PDB file of all heavy atoms in Angstrom:
ATOM      1  N   LEU A 466     -10.373  17.647   1.628  1.00 96.00           N
ATOM      2  CA  LEU A 466      -9.166  18.403   1.972  1.00 96.00           C
ATOM      3  C   LEU A 466      -7.957  17.846   1.218  1.00 96.00           C
ATOM      4  O   LEU A 466      -8.000  16.755   0.653  1.00 96.00           O
ATOM      5  CB  LEU A 466      -8.916  18.315   3.477  1.00 96.00           C
ATOM      6  CG  LEU A 466     -10.060  18.805   4.370  1.00 96.00           C
ATOM      7  CD1 LEU A 466      -9.717  18.546   5.841  1.00 96.00           C
ATOM      8  CD2 LEU A 466     -10.349  20.286   4.133  1.00 96.00           C
ATOM      9  N   ILE A 467      -6.878  18.603   1.212  1.00 96.00           N
ATOM     10  CA  ILE A 467      -5.627  18.128   0.629  1.00 96.00           C
ATOM     11  C   ILE A 467      -5.056  17.023   1.519  1.00 96.00           C
ATOM     12  O   ILE A 467      -5.046  17.134   2.748  1.00 96.00           O
ATOM     13  CB  ILE A 467      -4.615  19.287   0.501  1.00 96.00           C
ATOM     14  CG1 ILE A 467      -5.102  20.294  -0.545  1.00 96.00           C
ATOM     15  CG2 ILE A 467      -3.233  18.767   0.120  1.00 96.00           C
ATOM     16  CD1 ILE A 467      -4.267  21.542  -0.613  1.00 96.00           C
ATOM     17  N   TYR A 468      -4.604  15.952   0.881  1.00 94.00           N
ATOM     18  CA  TYR A 468      -3.999  14.854   1.625  1.00 94.00           C
ATOM     19  C   TYR A 468      -2.842  14.272   0.828  1.00 94.00           C
ATOM     20  O   TYR A 468      -2.695  14.526  -0.372  1.00 94.00           O
ATOM     21  CB  TYR A 468      -5.030  13.765   1.944  1.00 94.00           C
ATOM     22  CG  TYR A 468      -5.660  13.113   0.736  1.00 94.00           C
ATOM     23  CD1 TYR A 468      -5.122  11.951   0.184  1.00 94.00           C
ATOM     24  CD2 TYR A 468      -6.802  13.645   0.145  1.00 94.00           C
ATOM     25  CE1 TYR A 468      -5.704  11.346  -0.927  1.00 94.00           C
ATOM     26  CE2 TYR A 468      -7.394  13.042  -0.953  1.00 94.00           C
ATOM     27  CZ  TYR A 468      -6.838  11.899  -1.489  1.00 94.00           C
ATOM     28  OH  TYR A 468      -7.411  11.310  -2.583  1.00 94.00           O
ATOM     29  N   THR A 469      -2.013  13.518   1.526  1.00 91.00           N
ATOM     30  CA  THR A 469      -0.865  12.871   0.897  1.00 91.00           C
ATOM     31  C   THR A 469      -1.241  11.473   0.456  1.00 91.00           C
ATOM     32  O   THR A 469      -1.852  10.722   1.215  1.00 91.00           O
ATOM     33  CB  THR A 469       0.322  12.806   1.885  1.00 91.00           C
ATOM     34  OG1 THR A 469       0.636  14.132   2.318  1.00 91.00           O
ATOM     35  CG2 THR A 469       1.554  12.207   1.219  1.00 91.00           C
ATOM     36  N   CYS A 470      -0.883  11.107  -0.775  1.00 83.00           N
ATOM     37  CA  CYS A 470      -1.309   9.815  -1.322  1.00 83.00           C
ATOM     38  C   CYS A 470      -0.190   8.781  -1.359  1.00 83.00           C
ATOM     39  O   CYS A 470      -0.256   7.818  -2.117  1.00 83.00           O
ATOM     40  CB  CYS A 470      -1.910   9.998  -2.712  1.00 83.00           C
ATOM     41  SG  CYS A 470      -0.829  10.821  -3.889  1.00 83.00           S
ATOM     42  N   ASP A 471       0.864   8.978  -0.532  1.00 79.00           N
ATOM     43  CA  ASP A 471       1.941   7.986  -0.467  1.00 79.00           C
ATOM     44  C   ASP A 471       1.938   7.245   0.868  1.00 79.00           C
ATOM     45  O   ASP A 471       2.914   6.622   1.260  1.00 79.00           O
ATOM     46  CB  ASP A 471       3.300   8.639  -0.705  1.00 79.00           C
ATOM     47  CG  ASP A 471       3.647   9.705   0.334  1.00 79.00           C
ATOM     48  OD1 ASP A 471       2.774  10.031   1.172  1.00 79.00           O
ATOM     49  OD2 ASP A 471       4.781  10.220   0.292  1.00 79.00           O
ATOM     50  N   ASP A 472       0.788   7.289   1.564  1.00 82.00           N
ATOM     51  CA  ASP A 472       0.600   6.588   2.828  1.00 82.00           C
ATOM     52  C   ASP A 472       0.706   5.075   2.597  1.00 82.00           C
ATOM     53  O   ASP A 472       0.076   4.528   1.683  1.00 82.00           O
ATOM     54  CB  ASP A 472      -0.781   6.957   3.376  1.00 82.00           C
ATOM     55  CG  ASP A 472      -1.112   6.242   4.669  1.00 82.00           C
ATOM     56  OD1 ASP A 472      -1.464   5.052   4.601  1.00 82.00           O
ATOM     57  OD2 ASP A 472      -1.029   6.873   5.724  1.00 82.00           O
ATOM     58  N   GLU A 473       1.509   4.364   3.405  1.00 88.00           N
ATOM     59  CA  GLU A 473       1.746   2.934   3.196  1.00 88.00           C
ATOM     60  C   GLU A 473       0.465   2.118   3.287  1.00 88.00           C
ATOM     61  O   GLU A 473       0.240   1.185   2.502  1.00 88.00           O
ATOM     62  CB  GLU A 473       2.776   2.415   4.207  1.00 88.00           C
ATOM     63  CG  GLU A 473       4.198   2.896   3.949  1.00 88.00           C
ATOM     64  CD  GLU A 473       5.201   2.244   4.874  1.00 88.00           C
ATOM     65  OE1 GLU A 473       4.803   1.328   5.637  1.00 88.00           O
ATOM     66  OE2 GLU A 473       6.384   2.637   4.836  1.00 88.00           O
ATOM     67  N   GLU A 474      -0.406   2.459   4.235  1.00 90.00           N
ATOM     68  CA  GLU A 474      -1.666   1.739   4.384  1.00 90.00           C
ATOM     69  C   GLU A 474      -2.546   1.946   3.164  1.00 90.00           C
ATOM     70  O   GLU A 474      -3.216   1.015   2.688  1.00 90.00           O
ATOM     71  CB  GLU A 474      -2.377   2.212   5.655  1.00 90.00           C
ATOM     72  CG  GLU A 474      -3.588   1.364   6.033  1.00 90.00           C
ATOM     73  CD  GLU A 474      -4.199   1.811   7.345  1.00 90.00           C
ATOM     74  OE1 GLU A 474      -4.119   3.009   7.674  1.00 90.00           O
ATOM     75  OE2 GLU A 474      -4.775   0.958   8.039  1.00 90.00           O
ATOM     76  N   MET A 475      -2.547   3.158   2.637  1.00 91.00           N
ATOM     77  CA  MET A 475      -3.324   3.466   1.444  1.00 91.00           C
ATOM     78  C   MET A 475      -2.797   2.699   0.235  1.00 91.00           C
ATOM     79  O   MET A 475      -3.567   2.122  -0.541  1.00 91.00           O
ATOM     80  CB  MET A 475      -3.286   4.973   1.171  1.00 91.00           C
ATOM     81  CG  MET A 475      -4.039   5.398  -0.083  1.00 91.00           C
ATOM     82  SD  MET A 475      -3.933   7.184  -0.375  1.00 91.00           S
ATOM     83  CE  MET A 475      -4.938   7.805   0.967  1.00 91.00           C
ATOM     84  N   ILE A 476      -1.483   2.672   0.068  1.00 91.00           N
ATOM     85  CA  ILE A 476      -0.875   1.970  -1.070  1.00 91.00           C
ATOM     86  C   ILE A 476      -1.194   0.483  -1.023  1.00 91.00           C
ATOM     87  O   ILE A 476      -1.540  -0.128  -2.043  1.00 91.00           O
ATOM     88  CB  ILE A 476       0.649   2.208  -1.088  1.00 91.00           C
ATOM     89  CG1 ILE A 476       0.946   3.674  -1.416  1.00 91.00           C
ATOM     90  CG2 ILE A 476       1.321   1.285  -2.106  1.00 91.00           C
ATOM     91  CD1 ILE A 476       2.388   4.074  -1.245  1.00 91.00           C
ATOM     92  N   LYS A 477      -1.129  -0.117   0.161  1.00 93.00           N
ATOM     93  CA  LYS A 477      -1.427  -1.546   0.304  1.00 93.00           C
ATOM     94  C   LYS A 477      -2.880  -1.838  -0.061  1.00 93.00           C
ATOM     95  O   LYS A 477      -3.172  -2.785  -0.798  1.00 93.00           O
ATOM     96  CB  LYS A 477      -1.148  -2.002   1.738  1.00 93.00           C
ATOM     97  CG  LYS A 477      -1.445  -3.476   2.011  1.00 93.00           C
ATOM     98  CD  LYS A 477      -1.096  -3.841   3.449  1.00 93.00           C
ATOM     99  CE  LYS A 477      -1.363  -5.321   3.718  1.00 93.00           C
ATOM    100  NZ  LYS A 477      -2.804  -5.657   3.605  1.00 93.00           N
ATOM    101  N   ALA A 478      -3.793  -1.001   0.440  1.00 93.00           N
ATOM    102  CA  ALA A 478      -5.210  -1.213   0.153  1.00 93.00           C
ATOM    103  C   ALA A 478      -5.506  -1.034  -1.324  1.00 93.00           C
ATOM    104  O   ALA A 478      -6.291  -1.796  -1.906  1.00 93.00           O
ATOM    105  CB  ALA A 478      -6.041  -0.237   0.982  1.00 93.00           C
ATOM    106  N   GLN A 479      -4.861  -0.061  -1.954  1.00 94.00           N
ATOM    107  CA  GLN A 479      -5.105   0.175  -3.372  1.00 94.00           C
ATOM    108  C   GLN A 479      -4.615  -0.997  -4.222  1.00 94.00           C
ATOM    109  O   GLN A 479      -5.261  -1.383  -5.199  1.00 94.00           O
ATOM    110  CB  GLN A 479      -4.438   1.469  -3.823  1.00 94.00           C
ATOM    111  CG  GLN A 479      -4.826   1.884  -5.239  1.00 94.00           C
ATOM    112  CD  GLN A 479      -4.294   3.248  -5.599  1.00 94.00           C
ATOM    113  OE1 GLN A 479      -3.232   3.664  -5.131  1.00 94.00           O
ATOM    114  NE2 GLN A 479      -5.020   3.962  -6.448  1.00 94.00           N
ATOM    115  N   LYS A 480      -3.500  -1.586  -3.841  1.00 94.00           N
ATOM    116  CA  LYS A 480      -2.985  -2.753  -4.577  1.00 94.00           C
ATOM    117  C   LYS A 480      -3.976  -3.912  -4.516  1.00 94.00           C
ATOM    118  O   LYS A 480      -4.158  -4.636  -5.502  1.00 94.00           O
ATOM    119  CB  LYS A 480      -1.630  -3.173  -4.012  1.00 94.00           C
ATOM    120  CG  LYS A 480      -0.482  -2.261  -4.423  1.00 94.00           C
ATOM    121  CD  LYS A 480       0.847  -2.748  -3.873  1.00 94.00           C
ATOM    122  CE  LYS A 480       1.992  -1.860  -4.333  1.00 94.00           C
ATOM    123  NZ  LYS A 480       3.302  -2.304  -3.754  1.00 94.00           N
ATOM    124  N   GLU A 481      -4.624  -4.097  -3.370  1.00 94.00           N
ATOM    125  CA  GLU A 481      -5.619  -5.157  -3.255  1.00 94.00           C
ATOM    126  C   GLU A 481      -6.803  -4.895  -4.177  1.00 94.00           C
ATOM    127  O   GLU A 481      -7.343  -5.819  -4.804  1.00 94.00           O
ATOM    128  CB  GLU A 481      -6.084  -5.275  -1.800  1.00 94.00           C
ATOM    129  CG  GLU A 481      -5.001  -5.787  -0.860  1.00 94.00           C
ATOM    130  CD  GLU A 481      -5.433  -5.780   0.595  1.00 94.00           C
ATOM    131  OE1 GLU A 481      -6.556  -5.321   0.878  1.00 94.00           O
ATOM    132  OE2 GLU A 481      -4.632  -6.230   1.446  1.00 94.00           O
ATOM    133  N   GLN A 482      -7.212  -3.634  -4.283  1.00 96.00           N
ATOM    134  CA  GLN A 482      -8.288  -3.282  -5.212  1.00 96.00           C
ATOM    135  C   GLN A 482      -7.872  -3.522  -6.662  1.00 96.00           C
ATOM    136  O   GLN A 482      -8.675  -3.966  -7.490  1.00 96.00           O
ATOM    137  CB  GLN A 482      -8.684  -1.820  -5.021  1.00 96.00           C
ATOM    138  CG  GLN A 482      -9.426  -1.519  -3.735  1.00 96.00           C
ATOM    139  CD  GLN A 482     -10.759  -2.241  -3.669  1.00 96.00           C
ATOM    140  OE1 GLN A 482     -10.923  -3.180  -2.895  1.00 96.00           O
ATOM    141  NE2 GLN A 482     -11.696  -1.823  -4.493  1.00 96.00           N
ATOM    142  N   MET A 483      -6.603  -3.243  -6.980  1.00 96.00           N
ATOM    143  CA  MET A 483      -6.117  -3.437  -8.338  1.00 96.00           C
ATOM    144  C   MET A 483      -6.082  -4.915  -8.724  1.00 96.00           C
ATOM    145  O   MET A 483      -6.233  -5.265  -9.898  1.00 96.00           O
ATOM    146  CB  MET A 483      -4.731  -2.807  -8.506  1.00 96.00           C
ATOM    147  CG  MET A 483      -4.711  -1.279  -8.408  1.00 96.00           C
ATOM    148  SD  MET A 483      -5.829  -0.436  -9.578  1.00 96.00           S
ATOM    149  CE  MET A 483      -7.295  -0.203  -8.563  1.00 96.00           C
ATOM    150  N   GLU A 484      -5.888  -5.789  -7.744  1.00 96.00           N
ATOM    151  CA  GLU A 484      -5.949  -7.228  -8.020  1.00 96.00           C
ATOM    152  C   GLU A 484      -7.362  -7.620  -8.453  1.00 96.00           C
ATOM    153  O   GLU A 484      -7.548  -8.403  -9.397  1.00 96.00           O
ATOM    154  CB  GLU A 484      -5.543  -8.020  -6.779  1.00 96.00           C
ATOM    155  CG  GLU A 484      -4.068  -7.899  -6.394  1.00 96.00           C
ATOM    156  CD  GLU A 484      -3.149  -8.601  -7.394  1.00 96.00           C
ATOM    157  OE1 GLU A 484      -3.574  -9.595  -8.011  1.00 96.00           O
ATOM    158  OE2 GLU A 484      -1.999  -8.138  -7.547  1.00 96.00           O
ATOM    159  N   LEU A 485      -8.377  -7.076  -7.770  1.00 97.00           N
ATOM    160  CA  LEU A 485      -9.760  -7.334  -8.160  1.00 97.00           C
ATOM    161  C   LEU A 485     -10.055  -6.775  -9.548  1.00 97.00           C
ATOM    162  O   LEU A 485     -10.738  -7.422 -10.364  1.00 97.00           O
ATOM    163  CB  LEU A 485     -10.724  -6.711  -7.146  1.00 97.00           C
ATOM    164  CG  LEU A 485     -10.886  -7.424  -5.809  1.00 97.00           C
ATOM    165  CD1 LEU A 485     -11.708  -6.566  -4.861  1.00 97.00           C
ATOM    166  CD2 LEU A 485     -11.541  -8.787  -5.995  1.00 97.00           C
ATOM    167  N   LEU A 486      -9.548  -5.589  -9.832  1.00 98.00           N
ATOM    168  CA  LEU A 486      -9.766  -4.980 -11.138  1.00 98.00           C
ATOM    169  C   LEU A 486      -9.141  -5.830 -12.237  1.00 98.00           C
ATOM    170  O   LEU A 486      -9.748  -6.026 -13.305  1.00 98.00           O
ATOM    171  CB  LEU A 486      -9.177  -3.566 -11.152  1.00 98.00           C
ATOM    172  CG  LEU A 486      -9.305  -2.795 -12.469  1.00 98.00           C
ATOM    173  CD1 LEU A 486     -10.765  -2.574 -12.841  1.00 98.00           C
ATOM    174  CD2 LEU A 486      -8.569  -1.463 -12.375  1.00 98.00           C
ATOM    175  N   TYR A 487      -7.956  -6.345 -11.990  1.00 98.00           N
ATOM    176  CA  TYR A 487      -7.299  -7.218 -12.962  1.00 98.00           C
ATOM    177  C   TYR A 487      -8.153  -8.452 -13.236  1.00 98.00           C
ATOM    178  O   TYR A 487      -8.348  -8.853 -14.386  1.00 98.00           O
ATOM    179  CB  TYR A 487      -5.920  -7.636 -12.444  1.00 98.00           C
ATOM    180  CG  TYR A 487      -5.150  -8.508 -13.407  1.00 98.00           C
ATOM    181  CD1 TYR A 487      -4.268  -7.948 -14.319  1.00 98.00           C
ATOM    182  CD2 TYR A 487      -5.312  -9.903 -13.406  1.00 98.00           C
ATOM    183  CE1 TYR A 487      -3.560  -8.745 -15.216  1.00 98.00           C
ATOM    184  CE2 TYR A 487      -4.616 -10.703 -14.294  1.00 98.00           C
ATOM    185  CZ  TYR A 487      -3.750 -10.117 -15.193  1.00 98.00           C
ATOM    186  OH  TYR A 487      -3.068 -10.913 -16.090  1.00 98.00           O
ATOM    187  N   ASP A 488      -8.677  -9.045 -12.169  1.00 98.00           N
ATOM    188  CA  ASP A 488      -9.520 -10.232 -12.325  1.00 98.00           C
ATOM    189  C   ASP A 488     -10.777  -9.906 -13.130  1.00 98.00           C
ATOM    190  O   ASP A 488     -11.213 -10.709 -13.966  1.00 98.00           O
ATOM    191  CB  ASP A 488      -9.912 -10.791 -10.960  1.00 98.00           C
ATOM    192  CG  ASP A 488      -8.735 -11.408 -10.223  1.00 98.00           C
ATOM    193  OD1 ASP A 488      -7.708 -11.704 -10.863  1.00 98.00           O
ATOM    194  OD2 ASP A 488      -8.841 -11.580  -8.994  1.00 98.00           O
ATOM    195  N   PHE A 489     -11.382  -8.750 -12.887  1.00 98.00           N
ATOM    196  CA  PHE A 489     -12.572  -8.343 -13.633  1.00 98.00           C
ATOM    197  C   PHE A 489     -12.264  -8.258 -15.123  1.00 98.00           C
ATOM    198  O   PHE A 489     -13.007  -8.798 -15.968  1.00 98.00           O
ATOM    199  CB  PHE A 489     -13.072  -6.995 -13.114  1.00 98.00           C
ATOM    200  CG  PHE A 489     -14.228  -6.427 -13.889  1.00 98.00           C
ATOM    201  CD1 PHE A 489     -15.530  -6.765 -13.546  1.00 98.00           C
ATOM    202  CD2 PHE A 489     -14.015  -5.564 -14.956  1.00 98.00           C
ATOM    203  CE1 PHE A 489     -16.609  -6.253 -14.266  1.00 98.00           C
ATOM    204  CE2 PHE A 489     -15.085  -5.054 -15.686  1.00 98.00           C
ATOM    205  CZ  PHE A 489     -16.383  -5.404 -15.331  1.00 98.00           C
TER     206      PHE A 489
END
Side-chain angles (χ1 to χ4, degrees):
L466 303 175
I467 292 173
Y468 61 92
T469 303
C470 56
D471 61 353
D472 178 283
E473 289 186 6
E474 190 176 30
M475 178 181 290
I476 292 171
K477 179 178 181 296
Q479 189 173 31
K480 284 182 178 178
E481 292 175 357
Q482 289 297 109
M483 293 304 95
E484 291 290 330
L485 285 172
L486 179 62
Y487 182 93
D488 290 343
F489 175 88

